[in-house]
Coordinates of all heavy atoms in Angstrom, one line a residue:
R1 N -25.0 -8.0 -5.5 CA -23.9 -8.9 -5.8 C -22.5 -8.3 -5.4 O -21.7 -9.0 -4.8 CB -23.9 -9.2 -7.3 CG -22.7 -10.1 -7.8 CD -22.7 -10.3 -9.2 NE -21.4 -10.7 -9.6 CZ -21.1 -11.9 -10.1 NH1 -22.0 -12.8 -10.3 NH2 -19.9 -12.1 -10.5
S2 N -22.3 -7.1 -5.7 CA -21.0 -6.5 -5.3 C -21.0 -6.3 -3.8 O -19.9 -6.3 -3.2 CB -20.8 -5.2 -6.0 OG -21.8 -4.2 -5.6
N3 N -22.1 -6.0 -3.1 CA -22.2 -5.9 -1.7 C -21.8 -7.2 -1.0 O -21.2 -7.3 0.0 CB -23.5 -5.4 -1.2 CG -23.7 -3.9 -1.5 OD1 -22.8 -3.2 -1.8 ND2 -25.0 -3.5 -1.6
L4 N -22.3 -8.3 -1.6 CA -22.0 -9.6 -1.1 C -20.5 -9.9 -1.2 O -19.8 -10.4 -0.3 CB -22.8 -10.7 -1.8 CG -22.5 -12.1 -1.4 CD1 -22.9 -12.4 0.1 CD2 -23.1 -13.1 -2.3
L5 N -19.9 -9.5 -2.3 CA -18.5 -9.7 -2.5 C -17.7 -8.8 -1.5 O -16.7 -9.3 -0.9 CB -18.0 -9.3 -3.9 CG -16.6 -9.5 -4.3 CD1 -16.1 -10.9 -4.1 CD2 -16.3 -9.0 -5.7
D6 N -18.1 -7.6 -1.3 CA -17.5 -6.7 -0.3 C -17.6 -7.3 1.1 O -16.6 -7.3 1.8 CB -18.1 -5.3 -0.3 CG -17.7 -4.5 -1.5 OD1 -16.7 -4.8 -2.1 OD2 -18.5 -3.6 -1.9
A7 N -18.7 -7.8 1.4 CA -18.9 -8.4 2.7 C -18.0 -9.6 2.9 O -17.4 -9.8 4.0 CB -20.4 -8.8 2.9
L8 N -17.9 -10.5 1.9 CA -17.1 -11.7 2.0 C -15.6 -11.3 2.1 O -14.8 -11.9 2.8 CB -17.3 -12.6 0.8 CG -18.6 -13.3 0.7 CD1 -18.7 -14.1 -0.6 CD2 -18.7 -14.3 1.9
L9 N -15.2 -10.2 1.4 CA -13.8 -9.8 1.5 C -13.5 -9.3 2.9 O -12.4 -9.6 3.4 CB -13.5 -8.7 0.4 CG -13.3 -9.2 -1.0 CD1 -13.2 -8.0 -1.9 CD2 -12.0 -10.0 -1.1
V10 N -14.4 -8.5 3.4 CA -14.2 -8.0 4.8 C -14.2 -9.1 5.8 O -13.3 -9.1 6.7 CB -15.2 -6.9 5.1 CG1 -15.2 -6.6 6.6 CG2 -15.1 -5.7 4.3
I11 N -15.1 -10.0 5.7 CA -15.2 -11.1 6.7 C -13.9 -12.0 6.5 O -13.3 -12.3 7.5 CB -16.5 -11.9 6.5 CG1 -17.7 -11.1 7.0 CG2 -16.4 -13.2 7.3 CD1 -19.0 -11.7 6.6
F12 N -13.5 -12.3 5.3 CA -12.5 -13.3 5.1 C -11.1 -12.6 5.4 O -10.3 -13.2 6.2 CB -12.5 -13.8 3.7 CG -11.5 -14.9 3.5 CD1 -11.8 -16.2 4.1 CD2 -10.4 -14.8 2.8 CE1 -10.9 -17.2 3.9 CE2 -9.5 -15.9 2.6 CZ -9.8 -17.1 3.2
T13 N -10.8 -11.5 4.9 CA -9.5 -10.9 5.1 C -9.4 -10.1 6.4 O -8.3 -10.0 6.9 CB -9.1 -9.9 3.9 OG1 -10.1 -8.9 3.9 CG2 -9.1 -10.7 2.6
G14 N -10.5 -9.6 6.8 CA -10.4 -8.8 8.1 C -10.6 -9.6 9.3 O -9.8 -9.7 10.2
V15 N -11.8 -10.2 9.4 CA -12.2 -10.8 10.6 C -11.6 -12.2 10.8 O -11.0 -12.5 11.8 CB -13.8 -10.9 10.7 CG1 -14.2 -11.6 11.9 CG2 -14.3 -9.5 10.7
L16 N -11.8 -13.0 9.8 CA -11.3 -14.4 9.9 C -9.8 -14.5 10.1 O -9.4 -15.2 11.0 CB -11.7 -15.2 8.6 CG -11.5 -16.7 8.6 CD1 -12.5 -17.3 9.6 CD2 -11.7 -17.2 7.3
I17 N -9.0 -13.9 9.2 CA -7.6 -14.0 9.3 C -7.0 -13.3 10.5 O -6.1 -13.8 11.1 CB -6.9 -13.5 8.0 CG1 -7.3 -14.5 6.9 CG2 -5.4 -13.4 8.1 CD1 -6.8 -14.0 5.5
T18 N -7.5 -12.1 10.8 CA -7.0 -11.3 11.9 C -7.4 -11.8 13.3 O -6.6 -11.8 14.2 CB -7.4 -9.9 11.7 OG1 -7.0 -9.5 10.4 CG2 -6.7 -9.0 12.7
W19 N -8.6 -12.2 13.4 CA -9.1 -12.5 14.8 C -9.4 -13.9 15.0 O -9.0 -14.5 16.1 CB -10.4 -11.7 15.1 CG -10.1 -10.2 15.0 CD1 -10.3 -9.3 14.0 CD2 -9.5 -9.4 16.1 NE1 -10.0 -8.1 14.4 CE2 -9.5 -8.1 15.6 CE3 -9.1 -9.7 17.4 CZ2 -8.9 -7.1 16.4 CZ3 -8.6 -8.7 18.1 CH2 -8.5 -7.4 17.6
I20 N -10.2 -14.6 14.2 CA -10.7 -15.9 14.5 C -9.6 -17.0 14.4 O -9.5 -17.8 15.4 CB -11.9 -16.2 13.6 CG1 -13.0 -15.3 13.9 CG2 -12.3 -17.7 13.7 CD1 -14.2 -15.4 13.0
I21 N -8.9 -17.1 13.3 CA -7.9 -18.2 13.2 C -6.8 -18.0 14.3 O -6.4 -19.0 14.9 CB -7.3 -18.2 11.8 CG1 -8.4 -18.6 10.8 CG2 -6.1 -19.1 11.7 CD1 -8.0 -18.6 9.4
P22 N -6.2 -16.8 14.5 CA -5.2 -16.8 15.6 C -5.8 -17.1 17.0 O -5.1 -17.7 17.8 CB -4.7 -15.3 15.6 CG -5.0 -14.9 14.2 CD -6.2 -15.6 13.8
F23 N -7.1 -16.8 17.2 CA -7.7 -17.1 18.5 C -7.9 -18.6 18.7 O -7.6 -19.2 19.7 CB -9.0 -16.4 18.6 CG -9.8 -16.7 19.9 CD1 -9.3 -16.3 21.1 CD2 -10.9 -17.6 19.9 CE1 -9.9 -16.6 22.3 CE2 -11.5 -17.9 21.1 CZ -11.0 -17.4 22.3
I24 N -8.3 -19.3 17.6 CA -8.5 -20.7 17.6 C -7.1 -21.4 17.8 O -7.0 -22.4 18.6 CB -9.2 -21.2 16.4 CG1 -10.6 -20.8 16.3 CG2 -9.1 -22.8 16.2 CD1 -11.3 -21.0 15.1
A25 N -6.1 -20.9 17.2 CA -4.7 -21.4 17.3 C -4.2 -21.3 18.7 O -3.6 -22.1 19.3 CB -3.8 -20.8 16.3
F26 N -4.5 -20.1 19.3 CA -4.1 -19.8 20.7 C -4.9 -20.7 21.7 O -4.3 -21.3 22.6 CB -4.3 -18.4 21.0 CG -3.9 -18.0 22.5 CD1 -2.6 -18.0 22.9 CD2 -4.9 -17.8 23.4 CE1 -2.3 -17.7 24.2 CE2 -4.6 -17.5 24.7 CZ -3.3 -17.4 25.1
A27 N -6.2 -20.9 21.4 CA -7.0 -21.7 22.3 C -6.6 -23.2 22.3 O -6.6 -23.9 23.3 CB -8.4 -21.5 22.0
T28 N -6.2 -23.7 21.1 CA -5.9 -25.1 21.0 C -4.4 -25.3 21.3 O -4.0 -26.5 21.4 CB -6.2 -25.6 19.6 OG1 -5.4 -24.9 18.6 CG2 -7.7 -25.5 19.3
G29 N -3.6 -24.3 21.4 CA -2.2 -24.4 21.7 C -1.4 -24.8 20.6 O -0.2 -25.2 20.7
T30 N -1.9 -24.6 19.4 CA -1.1 -24.9 18.2 C -0.6 -23.6 17.6 O -1.0 -22.5 18.0 CB -2.0 -25.6 17.1 OG1 -3.0 -24.7 16.7 CG2 -2.4 -26.9 17.6
E31 N 0.3 -23.7 16.6 CA 0.9 -22.6 16.0 C 0.1 -22.3 14.7 O 0.0 -23.3 13.9 CB 2.4 -22.8 15.7 CG 3.1 -21.7 14.9 CD 3.4 -20.5 15.9 OE1 3.6 -20.8 17.1 OE2 3.6 -19.4 15.4
A32 N -0.3 -21.1 14.5 CA -1.0 -20.8 13.2 C 0.0 -20.7 12.1 O 1.1 -20.2 12.3 CB -1.8 -19.5 13.3
N33 N -0.3 -21.2 11.0 CA 0.6 -21.2 9.8 C 0.7 -19.8 9.2 O -0.3 -19.4 8.5 CB 0.1 -22.2 8.8 CG 1.1 -22.4 7.7 OD1 2.2 -21.7 7.6 ND2 0.8 -23.3 6.8
R34 N 1.7 -19.1 9.6 CA 1.8 -17.7 9.1 C 1.9 -17.6 7.6 O 1.4 -16.6 7.0 CB 3.0 -17.0 9.8 CG 2.8 -16.9 11.3 CD 1.9 -15.9 11.7 NE 1.8 -15.7 13.1 CZ 0.8 -15.1 13.7 NH1 -0.2 -14.6 13.0 NH2 0.8 -15.0 15.0
G35 N 2.6 -18.5 7.0 CA 2.8 -18.4 5.5 C 1.5 -18.5 4.8 O 1.2 -17.8 3.8
A36 N 0.6 -19.4 5.2 CA -0.7 -19.5 4.6 C -1.6 -18.3 4.8 O -2.3 -17.9 4.0 CB -1.4 -20.8 5.1
L37 N -1.5 -17.8 6.1 CA -2.3 -16.6 6.3 C -1.8 -15.4 5.5 O -2.6 -14.5 5.1 CB -2.2 -16.3 7.9 CG -2.9 -17.2 8.8 CD1 -2.7 -16.8 10.2 CD2 -4.3 -17.4 8.5
R38 N -0.5 -15.3 5.3 CA 0.0 -14.2 4.5 C -0.4 -14.3 3.0 O -0.6 -13.3 2.3 CB 1.5 -14.1 4.6 CG 2.0 -13.7 5.9 CD 3.5 -13.6 6.0 NE 4.0 -13.5 7.4 CZ 4.6 -12.5 7.9 NH1 4.8 -11.5 7.1 NH2 4.9 -12.5 9.1
T39 N -0.5 -15.5 2.5 CA -1.0 -15.6 1.1 C -2.5 -15.2 1.0 O -2.8 -14.6 0.0 CB -0.8 -17.0 0.6 OG1 -1.6 -17.9 1.5 CG2 0.6 -17.5 0.6
F40 N -3.2 -15.4 2.0 CA -4.6 -15.0 2.0 C -4.7 -13.5 2.2 O -5.7 -12.8 1.8 CB -5.5 -15.7 3.1 CG -5.7 -17.1 2.7 CD1 -5.4 -18.1 3.6 CD2 -6.4 -17.4 1.6 CE1 -5.6 -19.4 3.3 CE2 -6.6 -18.8 1.3 CZ -6.2 -19.8 2.1
S41 N -3.7 -12.8 2.8 CA -3.8 -11.4 3.0 C -3.6 -10.6 1.6 O -3.8 -9.4 1.6 CB -2.8 -10.9 4.0 OG -1.5 -11.1 3.5
V42 N -3.2 -11.3 0.6 CA -3.2 -10.7 -0.7 C -4.5 -10.3 -1.2 O -4.7 -9.3 -2.0 CB -2.6 -11.7 -1.7 CG1 -2.6 -11.2 -3.1 CG2 -1.1 -12.0 -1.4
L43 N -5.6 -10.9 -0.6 CA -6.9 -10.5 -1.0 C -7.3 -9.1 -0.5 O -8.2 -8.5 -1.0 CB -7.9 -11.5 -0.4 CG -8.0 -12.9 -1.0 CD1 -8.9 -13.8 -0.2 CD2 -8.4 -12.8 -2.5
R44 N -6.5 -8.5 0.4 CA -6.7 -7.2 0.8 C -6.5 -6.2 -0.4 O -7.1 -5.1 -0.4 CB -5.8 -6.8 2.0 CG -6.2 -7.6 3.2 CD -5.3 -7.2 4.4 NE -5.7 -8.0 5.5 CZ -5.1 -8.0 6.7 NH1 -4.1 -7.1 6.9 NH2 -5.5 -8.7 7.7
S45 N -5.6 -6.6 -1.3 CA -5.4 -5.7 -2.5 C -6.6 -5.7 -3.3 O -6.9 -4.7 -4.0 CB -4.2 -6.2 -3.2 OG -4.4 -7.5 -3.8
V46 N -7.4 -6.7 -3.3 CA -8.7 -6.7 -4.0 C -9.6 -5.7 -3.5 O -10.3 -4.9 -4.2 CB -9.4 -8.1 -4.0 CG1 -10.7 -8.1 -4.6 CG2 -8.5 -9.1 -4.7
R47 N -9.6 -5.5 -2.1 CA -10.4 -4.4 -1.5 C -9.9 -3.1 -2.0 O -10.7 -2.1 -2.2 CB -10.3 -4.6 0.0 CG -11.0 -5.8 0.5 CD -10.7 -6.0 2.0 NE -11.1 -4.9 2.9 CZ -10.8 -4.9 4.2 NH1 -10.1 -6.0 4.7 NH2 -11.1 -3.9 4.9
L48 N -8.6 -2.9 -2.2 CA -8.1 -1.6 -2.6 C -8.5 -1.4 -4.1 O -8.8 -0.2 -4.5 CB -6.6 -1.6 -2.5 CG -6.1 -1.4 -1.1 CD1 -4.5 -1.4 -1.1 CD2 -6.5 -0.1 -0.5
A49 N -8.5 -2.4 -4.9 CA -9.0 -2.3 -6.3 C -10.4 -1.8 -6.3 O -10.8 -1.1 -7.2 CB -8.7 -3.6 -7.0
R50 N -11.2 -2.4 -5.5 CA -12.7 -1.9 -5.4 C -12.7 -0.5 -5.0 O -13.6 0.2 -5.5 CB -13.4 -2.9 -4.5 CG -13.5 -4.3 -5.1 CD -14.4 -5.2 -4.3 NE -15.8 -4.7 -4.3 CZ -16.7 -4.8 -5.3 NH1 -16.3 -5.4 -6.4 NH2 -17.9 -4.3 -5.2
L51 N -11.9 0.0 -4.1 CA -11.9 1.4 -3.7 C -11.5 2.3 -4.9 O -12.1 3.4 -5.1 CB -10.9 1.6 -2.5 CG -10.8 3.0 -2.0 CD1 -12.2 3.4 -1.4 CD2 -9.8 3.1 -1.0
V52 N -10.6 1.8 -5.7 CA -10.2 2.6 -6.9 C -11.4 2.7 -7.9 O -11.6 3.8 -8.5 CB -9.0 2.0 -7.6 CG1 -8.7 2.5 -9.0 CG2 -7.7 2.1 -6.7
R53 N -12.1 1.6 -7.9 CA -13.3 1.7 -8.8 C -14.3 2.7 -8.3 O -14.9 3.4 -9.1 CB -13.9 0.3 -8.9 CG -15.0 0.2 -9.9 CD -15.6 -1.1 -9.9 NE -16.4 -1.3 -8.7 CZ -17.6 -1.9 -8.6 NH1 -18.1 -2.4 -9.6 NH2 -18.1 -2.0 -7.4
V54 N -14.5 2.8 -7.0 CA -15.4 3.8 -6.5 C -14.9 5.2 -6.8 O -15.7 6.1 -7.2 CB -15.6 3.6 -4.9 CG1 -16.3 4.8 -4.3 CG2 -16.3 2.3 -4.7
F55 N -13.6 5.4 -6.6 CA -13.0 6.7 -6.9 C -13.2 7.1 -8.3 O -13.5 8.3 -8.7 CB -11.5 6.8 -6.6 CG -11.2 7.4 -5.3 CD1 -10.7 6.5 -4.3 CD2 -11.3 8.7 -5.0 CE1 -10.4 7.0 -3.0 CE2 -11.0 9.2 -3.8 CZ -10.6 8.3 -2.8
R56 N -13.2 6.2 -9.2 CA -13.3 6.4 -10.7 C -14.7 6.7 -11.1 O -15.0 7.5 -11.9 CB -12.7 5.2 -11.4 CG -12.2 5.6 -12.8 CD -11.6 4.4 -13.5 NE -11.9 3.2 -12.8 CZ -11.5 2.0 -13.3 NH1 -10.7 1.9 -14.3 NH2 -11.8 0.9 -12.6
E57 N -15.7 6.0 -10.5 CA -17.1 6.1 -10.9 C -17.9 7.1 -10.2 O -18.9 7.7 -10.8 CB -17.7 4.7 -10.7 CG -17.2 3.7 -11.6 CD -17.8 2.3 -11.4 OE1 -18.6 2.2 -10.5 OE2 -17.4 1.4 -12.1
V58 N -17.6 7.5 -9.0 CA -18.4 8.5 -8.3 C -18.0 9.9 -8.7 O -16.8 10.3 -8.6 CB -18.3 8.3 -6.8 CG1 -19.1 9.4 -6.0 CG2 -18.7 6.9 -6.4
P59 N -19.0 10.7 -9.1 CA -18.6 12.1 -9.6 C -18.1 13.0 -8.6 O -17.3 13.9 -8.9 CB -19.9 12.6 -10.1 CG -20.9 11.5 -10.2 CD -20.4 10.4 -9.4
V60 N -18.4 12.8 -7.3 CA -17.9 13.6 -6.2 C -16.3 13.5 -6.1 O -15.6 14.5 -5.8 CB -18.5 13.2 -4.9 CG1 -17.9 14.0 -3.7 CG2 -20.0 13.4 -4.9
F61 N -15.8 12.3 -6.4 CA -14.4 12.1 -6.3 C -13.6 12.3 -7.6 O -12.5 11.9 -7.7 CB -14.1 10.6 -5.8 CG -14.6 10.4 -4.4 CD1 -15.5 9.3 -4.3 CD2 -14.2 11.1 -3.4 CE1 -16.0 9.0 -3.0 CE2 -14.7 10.8 -2.1 CZ -15.6 9.8 -1.9
H62 N -14.2 13.1 -8.5 CA -13.5 13.3 -9.8 C -12.2 14.0 -9.6 O -11.2 13.6 -10.2 CB -14.4 14.1 -10.7 CG -13.8 14.3 -12.1 ND1 -13.7 13.3 -13.0 CD2 -13.4 15.5 -12.6 CE1 -13.1 13.8 -14.0 NE2 -12.9 15.1 -13.9
E63 N -12.2 15.0 -8.8 CA -10.9 15.8 -8.6 C -9.9 14.9 -7.9 O -8.7 14.9 -8.3 CB -11.1 17.1 -7.8 CG -11.9 18.1 -8.6 CD -13.4 18.0 -8.5 OE1 -13.8 17.1 -7.7 OE2 -14.0 18.7 -9.2
A64 N -10.3 14.1 -6.9 CA -9.4 13.2 -6.3 C -8.8 12.2 -7.2 O -7.6 11.9 -7.2 CB -10.1 12.6 -5.1
W65 N -9.7 11.7 -8.1 CA -9.2 10.7 -9.1 C -8.2 11.3 -10.0 O -7.2 10.7 -10.4 CB -10.4 10.1 -9.9 CG -9.9 9.2 -10.9 CD1 -10.0 9.4 -12.3 CD2 -9.3 7.9 -10.8 NE1 -9.5 8.3 -12.9 CE2 -9.0 7.4 -12.1 CE3 -8.9 7.2 -9.7 CZ2 -8.4 6.2 -12.3 CZ3 -8.2 6.0 -9.9 CH2 -8.0 5.5 -11.2
L66 N -8.4 12.6 -10.4 CA -7.4 13.2 -11.3 C -6.1 13.4 -10.6 O -5.0 13.2 -11.2 CB -8.0 14.6 -11.7 CG -9.1 14.6 -12.7 CD1 -9.6 16.0 -12.9 CD2 -8.7 14.0 -14.0
L67 N -6.1 13.7 -9.3 CA -4.9 13.8 -8.5 C -4.2 12.5 -8.4 O -2.9 12.4 -8.6 CB -5.1 14.3 -7.1 CG -5.5 15.8 -7.0 CD1 -5.9 16.2 -5.6 CD2 -4.3 16.7 -7.4
I68 N -4.9 11.4 -8.2 CA -4.3 10.1 -8.1 C -3.7 9.7 -9.4 O -2.6 9.2 -9.4 CB -5.3 9.1 -7.5 CG1 -5.7 9.4 -6.1 CG2 -4.8 7.7 -7.6 CD1 -6.8 8.6 -5.5
R69 N -4.5 9.9 -10.4 CA -4.0 9.5 -11.8 C -2.8 10.3 -12.2 O -1.8 9.8 -12.7 CB -5.1 9.7 -12.8 CG -4.8 8.9 -14.1 CD -5.9 9.0 -15.0 NE -6.0 10.4 -15.5 CZ -7.1 10.9 -16.1 NH1 -8.1 10.2 -16.4 NH2 -7.1 12.1 -16.5
G70 N -2.8 11.6 -11.9 CA -1.6 12.5 -12.2 C -0.4 12.0 -11.4 O 0.7 12.0 -12.0
L71 N -0.5 11.6 -10.1 CA 0.6 11.2 -9.4 C 1.1 9.9 -9.9 O 2.3 9.7 -10.0 CB 0.1 11.0 -7.9 CG 1.2 10.7 -6.9 CD1 2.3 11.8 -6.8 CD2 0.6 10.5 -5.5
A72 N 0.2 9.0 -10.3 CA 0.7 7.7 -10.8 C 1.4 7.9 -12.2 O 2.4 7.2 -12.5 CB -0.5 6.8 -11.0
D73 N 0.9 8.8 -13.0 CA 1.5 9.1 -14.3 C 2.9 9.7 -14.2 O 3.8 9.5 -15.0 CB 0.6 10.0 -15.1 CG -0.6 9.3 -15.6 OD1 -0.7 8.0 -15.5 OD2 -1.6 9.9 -16.0
S74 N 3.1 10.5 -13.1 CA 4.4 11.2 -12.9 C 5.3 10.5 -12.0 O 6.3 11.0 -11.6 CB 4.1 12.6 -12.4 OG 3.6 12.5 -11.1
S75 N 5.0 9.2 -11.7 CA 5.8 8.5 -10.7 C 7.3 8.3 -11.2 O 8.2 8.3 -10.4 CB 5.2 7.1 -10.3 OG 5.1 6.3 -11.5
R76 N 7.4 8.0 -12.5 CA 8.8 7.8 -13.0 C 9.6 9.1 -12.9 O 10.8 9.1 -12.5 CB 8.7 7.4 -14.5 CG 10.1 7.1 -15.1 CD 9.9 6.6 -16.5 NE 11.2 6.5 -17.1 CZ 11.4 6.3 -18.4 NH1 10.4 6.2 -19.2 NH2 12.6 6.2 -18.8
T77 N 9.0 10.2 -13.2 CA 9.7 11.5 -13.1 C 10.0 11.8 -11.6 O 11.1 12.3 -11.3 CB 8.8 12.7 -13.7 OG1 8.5 12.3 -15.0 CG2 9.6 14.0 -13.6
L78 N 9.1 11.5 -10.7 CA 9.3 11.8 -9.3 C 10.4 10.9 -8.8 O 11.2 11.3 -7.9 CB 8.0 11.5 -8.5 CG 6.9 12.6 -8.6 CD1 5.6 12.1 -8.0 CD2 7.4 13.9 -8.0
F79 N 10.5 9.6 -9.2 CA 11.5 8.8 -8.8 C 12.9 9.3 -9.1 O 13.8 9.4 -8.3 CB 11.4 7.4 -9.4 CG 12.5 6.4 -9.2 CD1 12.7 5.9 -7.9 CD2 13.4 6.2 -10.2 CE1 13.8 5.0 -7.7 CE2 14.5 5.3 -10.0 CZ 14.7 4.8 -8.8
W80 N 13.1 9.7 -10.4 CA 14.4 10.3 -10.8 C 14.7 11.6 -10.2 O 15.9 11.9 -9.9 CB 14.5 10.4 -12.4 CG 14.6 9.0 -12.9 CD1 13.7 8.3 -13.7 CD2 15.7 8.1 -12.8 NE1 14.2 7.1 -14.0 CE2 15.4 6.9 -13.5 CE3 17.0 8.2 -12.1 CZ2 16.3 5.9 -13.5 CZ3 17.8 7.1 -12.2 CH2 17.5 5.9 -12.8
T81 N 13.7 12.4 -9.9 CA 13.9 13.6 -9.1 C 14.4 13.4 -7.8 O 15.4 14.0 -7.3 CB 12.6 14.4 -9.1 OG1 12.1 14.7 -10.4 CG2 12.8 15.7 -8.3
C82 N 13.9 12.4 -7.1 CA 14.3 12.0 -5.7 C 15.8 11.5 -5.8 O 16.6 11.8 -4.9 CB 13.4 10.9 -5.1 SG 11.8 11.6 -4.6
I83 N 16.1 10.7 -6.8 CA 17.5 10.2 -7.0 C 18.4 11.4 -7.1 O 19.5 11.4 -6.5 CB 17.6 9.2 -8.2 CG1 16.7 7.9 -7.9 CG2 19.0 8.9 -8.5 CD1 17.3 7.1 -6.7
M84 N 18.1 12.3 -8.0 CA 18.9 13.5 -8.2 C 19.1 14.3 -6.9 O 20.3 14.8 -6.6 CB 18.4 14.4 -9.4 CG 18.5 13.7 -10.7 SD 20.2 13.3 -11.2 CE 21.0 14.9 -11.1
I85 N 18.1 14.5 -6.2 CA 18.2 15.2 -4.9 C 19.1 14.5 -4.0 O 19.9 15.1 -3.3 CB 16.7 15.5 -4.3 CG1 16.0 16.5 -5.2 CG2 16.8 16.0 -2.9 CD1 14.5 16.6 -4.8
L86 N 19.0 13.2 -3.9 CA 19.8 12.4 -3.1 C 21.3 12.5 -3.5 O 22.1 12.7 -2.6 CB 19.3 10.9 -3.1 CG 20.2 9.9 -2.3 CD1 19.8 10.1 -0.8 CD2 20.0 8.6 -2.7
L87 N 21.6 12.4 -4.8 CA 22.9 12.5 -5.2 C 23.5 13.9 -5.0 O 24.7 14.0 -4.6 CB 23.0 12.2 -6.7 CG 22.8 10.7 -7.1 CD1 22.8 10.6 -8.6 CD2 23.9 9.9 -6.4
V88 N 22.7 15.0 -5.2 CA 23.2 16.3 -4.9 C 23.5 16.5 -3.4 O 24.5 17.1 -3.0 CB 22.3 17.4 -5.5 CG1 22.6 18.8 -5.0 CG2 22.3 17.3 -7.0
T89 N 22.6 16.0 -2.6 CA 22.8 16.2 -1.2 C 24.0 15.4 -0.7 O 24.8 15.9 0.1 CB 21.5 15.7 -0.4 OG1 20.4 16.4 -0.9 CG2 21.7 15.8 1.1
Y90 N 24.2 14.2 -1.3 CA 25.4 13.4 -0.9 C 26.7 14.1 -1.3 O 27.6 14.2 -0.6 CB 25.2 12.0 -1.6 CG 26.3 11.1 -1.2 CD1 26.4 10.5 0.1 CD2 27.3 10.7 -2.1 CE1 27.4 9.7 0.5 CE2 28.3 9.8 -1.8 CZ 28.3 9.3 -0.5 OH 29.3 8.4 -0.1
A91 N 26.7 14.7 -2.5 CA 27.9 15.4 -3.0 C 28.2 16.6 -2.1 O 29.4 16.8 -1.8 CB 27.7 15.8 -4.5
F92 N 27.2 17.4 -1.8 CA 27.4 18.5 -0.9 C 27.8 18.1 0.5 O 28.6 18.9 1.2 CB 26.2 19.5 -0.9 CG 26.3 20.4 -2.1 CD1 25.4 20.2 -3.2 CD2 27.2 21.5 -2.2 CE1 25.4 21.0 -4.3 CE2 27.2 22.4 -3.2 CZ 26.3 22.1 -4.3
A93 N 27.3 17.0 1.0 CA 27.7 16.5 2.3 C 29.2 16.1 2.3 O 29.9 16.5 3.2 CB 26.9 15.3 2.7
I94 N 29.6 15.5 1.2 CA 31.1 15.1 1.1 C 31.9 16.4 1.0 O 33.0 16.5 1.7 CB 31.3 14.2 -0.1 CG1 30.7 12.8 0.2 CG2 32.8 14.0 -0.4 CD1 30.7 11.9 -1.0
L95 N 31.5 17.3 0.2 CA 32.2 18.6 0.1 C 32.2 19.4 1.4 O 33.3 19.9 1.8 CB 31.5 19.5 -1.0 CG 32.2 20.8 -1.3 CD1 33.6 20.7 -1.9 CD2 31.3 21.6 -2.2
G96 N 31.1 19.4 2.1 CA 31.1 20.1 3.4 C 32.0 19.4 4.4 O 32.7 20.1 5.2
L97 N 32.1 18.1 4.4 CA 33.0 17.4 5.3 C 34.5 17.7 4.9 O 35.3 17.8 5.8 CB 32.7 15.9 5.3 CG 31.6 15.5 6.2 CD1 31.3 14.0 6.0 CD2 31.8 15.8 7.7
A98 N 34.7 17.7 3.6 CA 36.1 18.0 3.2 C 36.5 19.4 3.6 O 37.7 19.6 3.9 CB 36.2 17.8 1.7
I99 N 35.6 20.3 3.6 CA 35.9 21.7 3.9 C 36.1 21.9 5.5 O 37.0 22.6 6.0 CB 34.9 22.7 3.4 CG1 35.0 22.8 1.9 CG2 35.1 24.1 3.9 CD1 33.9 23.6 1.2
I100 N 35.1 21.3 6.2 CA 35.1 21.5 7.6 C 36.2 20.7 8.3 O 36.9 21.3 9.2 CB 33.7 21.1 8.2 CG1 32.6 22.0 7.7 CG2 33.8 21.0 9.7 CD1 31.2 21.5 8.1
V101 N 36.5 19.5 7.9 CA 37.5 18.7 8.6 C 38.7 18.7 7.8 O 38.9 17.9 6.9 CB 37.0 17.2 8.8 CG1 38.0 16.4 9.5 CG2 35.6 17.2 9.5
K102 N 39.6 19.7 8.0 CA 40.9 19.7 7.3 C 41.9 19.0 8.1 O 42.1 19.2 9.3 CB 41.3 21.2 7.0 CG 40.3 21.9 6.1 CD 40.9 23.2 5.8 CE 40.0 23.9 4.7 NZ 40.4 25.1 4.3
P103 N 42.7 18.1 7.4 CA 43.8 17.4 8.2 C 44.9 18.3 8.6 O 45.2 19.3 8.1 CB 44.2 16.3 7.2 CG 43.7 16.7 5.9 CD 42.6 17.7 6.1

């Protein structure tokens, strides 16, 4: 059952949207509706969710799952750390310009 779902996801989001529909639109001389195709590409995230399930359930990937979970848990701290690094760099860039370029 899950293999059938995987096969349908690959066929629908990979092959059909990427290759077959644009080829048919090109062959008939019509414009493929990009908005509709983009809404179907959301199904690719379902494929990622299935990959996460594999990472969680297979014992070989236990360490990798711990790393991914730790990175996700610390994303808020990493975000504010990047903001602080950006602000400090910006402040020292302004200070450096003020020192180097004296009127």
